[in-house]
């Protein structure tokens, strides 16, 4: 039986059977597959972005006639510039977090807790903190409670929501004033393809890579 993993971890521990070295979470095949799939999805998505000069073409800007016209423009521009818009949202979020380094550190710590303590921790290594062994269910429950607390009961949540609202406002404002008549949507990419299709592809690929590690704990 494998020796329990302790917090903090110092050196990899040997299993009792064959003396094999246990791998840290970031060195496991599941974590490497997660990073590979996620980065591949991001690269594939970014390759679909439109030229930025089309986004900021001042000659194509005009005030919409009415709300119906503005809504129609937003839908068309969301479909055409969706990767560019998502990039803008990420930039706004990154700027907000960098301007509040404490919130950034809290989010990074929360992400690290999920990665090292649950998602990619070897299933044969129980979590031991201060001499107490925690089951996978207890670890998951504690991480869920911690996530809810950080996101909804601290300033981190309000910061994220504010940044998202600012980013969405910028996207909607540009989409309403950008005249889409000169834009040519691909046949395979209809207007109602969805603003979150790019994020959905990256998230599904990442989830597929993490699924085996999570399934082993259920």
């Amino acid at each position: 039986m494998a020796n329990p993993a302790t917090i903090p971890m110092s050196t990899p521990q040997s299993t009792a059977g064959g003396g094999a070295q246990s791998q840290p979470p970031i060195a496991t095949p599941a974590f490497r597959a997660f990073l590979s799939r996620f980065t591949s999805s991001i690269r594939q998505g970014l390759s679909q972005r439109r030229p930025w000069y089309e986004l900021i073409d001042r000659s194509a800007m005009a005030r919409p006639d009415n709300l119906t016209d503005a809504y129609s423009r937003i839908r068309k521009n969301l479909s055409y510039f969706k990767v560019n818009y998502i990039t803008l949202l990420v930039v706004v979020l990154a700027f907000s977090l960098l301007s509040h380094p404490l919130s950034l550190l809290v989010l990074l710590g929360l992400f690290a807790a999920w990665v090292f303590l649950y998602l990619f921790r070897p299933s044969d290594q129980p979590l031991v903190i201060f001499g107490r062994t925690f089951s996978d269910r207890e670890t998951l429950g504690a991480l869920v409670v911690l996530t809810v607390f950080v996101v909804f009961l601290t300033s981190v949540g309000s910061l994220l929501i504010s940044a998202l609202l600012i980013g969405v406002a910028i996207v909607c404002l540009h989409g309403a004033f950008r005249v889409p008549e000169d834009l040519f949507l691909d046949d395979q990419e209809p207007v109602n393809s969805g603003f979150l299709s790019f994020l959905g592809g990256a998230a599904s690929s990442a989830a597929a890579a993490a699924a085996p590690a999570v399934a082993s704990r259920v």
Side-chain angles (χ1 to χ4, degrees):
M1 188 176 80
N3 291 334
T6 58
I7 302 300
M9 290 184 179
S10 55
T11 59
Q13 299 186 11
S14 301
T15 57
Q21 297 290 331
S22 60
Q23 293 180 320
I26 58 175
T28 59
F31 187 74
R32 290 197 297 267
F34 168 80
L35 286 182
S36 177
R37 288 198 181 190
F38 187 75
T39 54
S40 177
S41 298
I42 294 296
R43 285 196 299 267
Q44 182 179 1
L46 290 177
S47 67
Q48 301 172 8
R49 71 182 183 274
R50 306 298 180 177
W52 288 101
Y53 66 83
E54 292 187 12
L55 191 77
I56 58 176
D57 185 6
R58 296 182 60 183
S59 63
M61 298 292 179
R63 182 177 179 180
D65 297 330
N66 47 52
L67 290 178
T68 303
D69 185 30
Y71 176 72
S72 177
R73 289 184 181 183
I74 291 174
R75 289 183 67 246
K76 292 180 181 179
N77 285 319
L78 281 178
S79 179
Y80 188 81
F81 291 115
K82 60 176 174 288
V83 178
N84 302 74
Y85 285 155
I86 292 173
T87 304
L88 286 176
L89 287 176
V90 172
V91 169
V92 172
L93 278 173
F95 179 79
S96 298
L97 290 174
L98 289 175
S99 61
H100 297 79
L102 181 59
S103 297
L104 178 60
L105 290 176
V106 170
L107 283 180
L108 289 177
L110 182 62
F111 175 76
W114 275 99
V115 169
F116 293 107
L117 300 183
Y118 186 76
L119 291 177
F120 298 103
R121 176 173 55 84
S123 58
D124 61 343
Q125 293 185 1
L127 178 64
V128 178
I129 301 179
F130 298 118
R132 186 186 187 282
T133 302
F134 292 84
S135 66
D136 289 333
R137 183 169 298 181
E138 290 174 330
T139 303
L140 176 61
L143 288 173
V144 169
V145 171
L146 179 62
T147 302
V148 171
F149 176 79
V150 169
V151 173
F152 295 103
L153 300 179
T154 67
S155 60
V156 175
S158 60
L159 175 65
L160 293 177
I161 293 174
S162 300
L164 284 174
L165 290 177
I166 293 174
V168 170
I170 294 174
V171 167
C172 290
L173 187 64
H174 178 274
F177 280 81
R178 176 63 164 85
V179 180
E181 274 69 19
D182 61 329
L183 305 180
F184 298 94
L185 296 176
D186 299 332
D187 294 335
Q188 70 274 17
E189 192 176 14
V191 171
N192 59 355
S193 60
F195 180 46
L196 297 180
S197 59
F198 166 63
L199 282 182
S204 61
S205 296
V214 177
S216 64
R217 306 183 184 279
V218 179

